[in-house]
Amino acid sequence: MTREGMAVPNTTLCEKLVSDDNLTKAAKKVRSNDGAPGIDGIPAEDALVYLLENQERIVSEIITRKYKPSPVRRVEIPKANGKKRLLGIPTVRDRIVQQALVQVLTPVFEPTFSDFSFGYRPNRSAEDAVRLAQLYMSEGYNHVVDLDLSKYFDTVDHDILMGLVDKDMEDKDIRRLIFVFLKAGVLYRDKLEKTELGVSQGNPLSPLLANVYLTPFDKEMEKRGLRFVRYADDCQLFTKSDYAAARVMKNATKYLEGKLKLKVNVEKTEAREAIGSCFLGFTFITLGSKEDGRGVCRPRGKKIEGLKGRLKEITKRNRGVSIHQVIREINETMLGWLAYYARGSIMNWLTKELLPWLRRRIRQYLWKIWKTAKSRKRHLRKAGVPEWHIKKDLGWSSRSYWKMSIVMGSLVTNKMLVEYFGLRDFENIFRGWHKKRMERDYELDFNDYLCRQYEAEQETRLLIDAYPCINW
């Protein structure tokens, strides 16, 4: 373990883990991810500085197998259904080491993962998972089993997980690090709690371990020839009949609870028709077909209401912040939401319902913060509104803020909101993004068609070559 009085890594994988490049890359990643501090109180933005000051000690503890992680800080995040999601916030030191582990372990485990698993994996996204689900439906798989795992991250069995880790990785130093992170404990309300089960959500290492744990399930589904798609603990299995769906649901539940010791939420898990089902925030409206391609999907109703609720908070007229800050927050919220749901068929709803309502909220906010008639005239002149137009429409100024937002539509036009106030042109942005998604679908479908054609030609050639031998 030592050479000339200095500790050296025992294995190639451990050497990669503690290399300067890997640890520096990990610290930069931790800093870019930001996040709340753990029990050490050190913010993530100080990760690189912390590493420079403590790298030698961290490396020495890892190599000599003396590294001991700190307990994570328990944080409760409210969920949309009223329940709470438990997060574990590690110290900046543990974040750096865990991120460094992820960077060296991803190439080890990635080849073992299923092609139908998309969560927390490089070059894969939730949109890819939704696209595959739509492809299944277009091929005639019109029934779906929607699996819901109850508190998945909190119920992972450590013994089973470590057995799966050992199966694909023999490095004992790395194995020890993974194990001590699993057993680090939780600090909640100044009390230290042991972690006998689960992987803490909020740790950089947890998503990778979560995928390792569910890989046997993926392989079993593949072995049985089932059409399925999984994103982390969200999984859907597709069949061509209600009878098959009920049978698949029963067998999948039996495997998850029996082999992996997980708990399937029987209240939310269901076998149903694929039309109207939901996956990763999308609702599938139509199935599609082989001739017409994938069907239509759109955001779930709860996601739409969540967006409108967020926009209401931003444009609340008594906030007392500048219009520039309001516009900046609207742009950030809308661009992020539209980027995720760009494959959804929502252009009609966007242009006829959401955007007119949002612009009216902005005009109401402007009318409120400008306060007096003198201030309103000054701001409108500055924005380039003609004097005659100002005098004509401000005669209605005794009405309520919401009613005056209609009058403001002729003063503060849609074009002015974009060019003068900086509101992004969401309609054209979404149109461009949606077009790219559809072009990508066509490209993938065409490539798949070419592959099938090539396989068919190869099979035909083999039959032709074999024909003389059969005759002989």
Side-chain angles (χ1 to χ4, degrees), residues 302-344:
K302 289 182 179 180
K303 301 300 180 180
I304 290 175
E305 292 304 316
L307 173 66
K308 293 186 73 173
R310 174 59 183 152
L311 293 174
K312 278 184 179 181
E313 291 178 7
I314 295 172
T315 56
K316 196 174 181 180
R317 64 174 185 254
N318 61 355
R319 283 189 68 194
V321 299
S322 69
I323 186 61
H324 301 293
Q325 181 177 335
V326 170
I327 295 295
R328 184 171 63 252
E329 292 178 13
I330 289 174
N331 287 341
E332 291 174 355
T333 301
M334 284 291 293
L335 290 177
W337 196 88
L338 291 177
Y340 184 84
Y341 291 106
R343 71 180 296 102

Side-chain angles (χ1 to χ4, degrees), residues 240-417:
K240 291 188 175 181
S241 70
D242 54 350
Y243 175 79
R247 174 175 52 80
V248 167
M249 182 176 70
K250 179 181 177 181
N251 292 336
T253 300
K254 182 179 179 181
Y255 185 91
L256 289 167
E257 294 187 339
K259 296 287 187 179
L260 298 180
K261 298 183 181 180
L262 297 172
K263 180 65 177 176
V264 175
N265 190 334
V266 293
E267 295 180 358
K268 293 184 178 180
T269 297
E270 60 177 345
R272 53 163 297 163
E273 291 185 355
I275 288 183
S277 63
C278 298
F279 185 52
L280 299 178
F282 286 90
T283 298
F284 301 112
I285 307 300
T286 62
L287 295 178
S289 64
K290 289 184 177 180
E291 294 77 20
D292 301 328
R294 292 172 176 82
V296 174
C297 66
R298 61 173 296 161
R300 291 183 66 181
K302 289 182 179 180
K303 301 300 180 180
I304 290 175
E305 292 304 316
L307 173 66
K308 293 186 73 173
R310 174 59 183 152
L311 293 174
K312 278 184 179 181
E313 291 178 7
I314 295 172
T315 56
K316 196 174 181 180
R317 64 174 185 254
N318 61 355
R319 283 189 68 194
V321 299
S322 69
I323 186 61
H324 301 293
Q325 181 177 335
V326 170
I327 295 295
R328 184 171 63 252
E329 292 178 13
I330 289 174
N331 287 341
E332 291 174 355
T333 301
M334 284 291 293
L335 290 177
W337 196 88
L338 291 177
Y340 184 84
Y341 291 106
R343 71 180 296 102
S345 300
I346 57 172
M347 180 58 75
N348 193 49
W349 167 79
L350 186 69
T351 56
K352 294 184 178 181
E353 184 176 337
L354 182 70
L355 291 182
W357 170 82
L358 176 60
R359 295 184 190 112
R360 190 175 174 185
R361 296 279 305 183
I362 295 171
R363 292 178 181 120
Q364 175 188 238
Y365 191 87
L366 288 171
W367 188 258
K368 174 66 168 62
I369 63 171
W370 287 345
K371 294 183 179 179
T372 64
K374 184 177 180 180
S375 174
R376 289 163 183 158
K377 290 177 182 179
R378 184 177 73 253
H379 280 96
L380 289 171
R381 290 191 192 102
K382 188 177 179 182
V385 181
E387 189 69 29
W388 67 268
H389 203 168
I390 295 173
K391 291 180 179 179
K392 174 178 175 293
D393 287 337
L394 286 189
W396 298 80
S397 60
S398 60
R399 295 196 172 194
S400 68
Y401 295 118
W402 187 239
K403 289 180 179 179
M404 280 308 299
S405 64
I406 300 178
V407 179
M408 284 278 283
S410 62
L411 295 168
V412 181
T413 62
N414 296 349
K415 184 178 180 181
M416 186 184 295
L417 286 175

Side-chain angles (χ1 to χ4, degrees), residues 37-247:
I39 63 173
D40 58 349
I42 302 175
E45 62 185 22
D46 294 338
L48 199 55
V49 175
Y50 181 89
L51 178 65
L52 291 173
E53 295 174 351
N54 299 275
Q55 181 172 347
E56 186 176 338
R57 179 170 57 86
I58 292 173
V59 170
S60 176
E61 289 179 358
I62 291 174
I63 295 173
T64 58
R65 300 176 182 174
K66 294 180 180 179
Y67 186 90
K68 186 178 180 180
S70 304
V72 297
R73 180 170 67 88
R74 171 70 74 219
V75 176
E76 295 179 345
I77 304 296
K79 298 168 68 174
N81 59 8
K83 297 182 179 179
K84 293 183 178 180
R85 176 178 284 110
L86 302 180
L87 299 184
I89 310 301
T91 62
V92 72
R93 170 173 167 265
D94 292 338
R95 283 185 188 180
I96 294 170
V97 176
Q98 286 196 37
Q99 182 59 41
L101 273 171
V102 170
Q103 290 164 188
V104 298
L105 290 178
T106 296
V108 175
F109 289 108
E110 184 65 24
T112 70
F113 292 157
S114 170
D115 290 336
F116 308 106
S117 165
F118 294 87
Y120 311 121
R121 295 181 61 186
N123 303 318
R124 287 171 173 255
S125 65
E127 183 175 343
D128 295 328
V130 174
R131 182 186 290 117
L132 181 59
Q134 288 183 289
L135 178 63
Y136 289 150
M137 287 183 275
S138 70
E139 292 176 344
Y141 292 87
N142 53 12
H143 284 77
V144 63
V145 177
D146 192 354
L147 280 176
D148 186 272
L149 295 176
S150 180
K151 299 180 179 180
Y152 167 62
F153 283 86
D154 300 327
T155 56
V156 169
D157 186 279
H158 291 174
D159 292 335
I160 295 176
L161 176 59
M162 294 310 300
L164 295 171
V165 169
D166 291 340
K167 184 179 177 181
D168 297 302
M169 187 203 65
E170 299 178 354
D171 192 302
K172 292 184 179 180
D173 287 352
I174 303 297
R175 184 193 190 282
R176 178 196 171 274
L177 271 180
I178 295 173
F179 185 77
V180 295
F181 275 123
L182 290 175
K183 300 296 185 181
V186 175
L187 193 65
Y188 182 59
R189 295 178 180 174
D190 297 326
K191 291 183 179 180
L192 181 62
E193 300 176 2
K194 292 182 179 181
T195 46
E196 301 296 341
L197 290 173
V199 289
S200 295
Q201 285 184 273
N203 288 351
L205 188 59
S206 296
L208 178 64
L209 296 180
N211 272 332
V212 170
Y213 198 81
L214 281 176
T215 295
F217 172 76
D218 297 340
K219 298 300 182 181
E220 182 66 21
M221 297 302 103
E222 289 181 28
K223 181 181 175 182
R224 299 184 185 188
L226 295 173
R227 301 293 193 276
F228 75 98
V229 56
R230 183 176 66 81
Y231 190 93
D233 57 333
D234 290 316
C235 183
Q236 287 196 331
L237 302 102
F238 293 85
T239 67
K240 291 188 175 181
S241 70
D242 54 350
Y243 175 79
R247 174 175 52 80

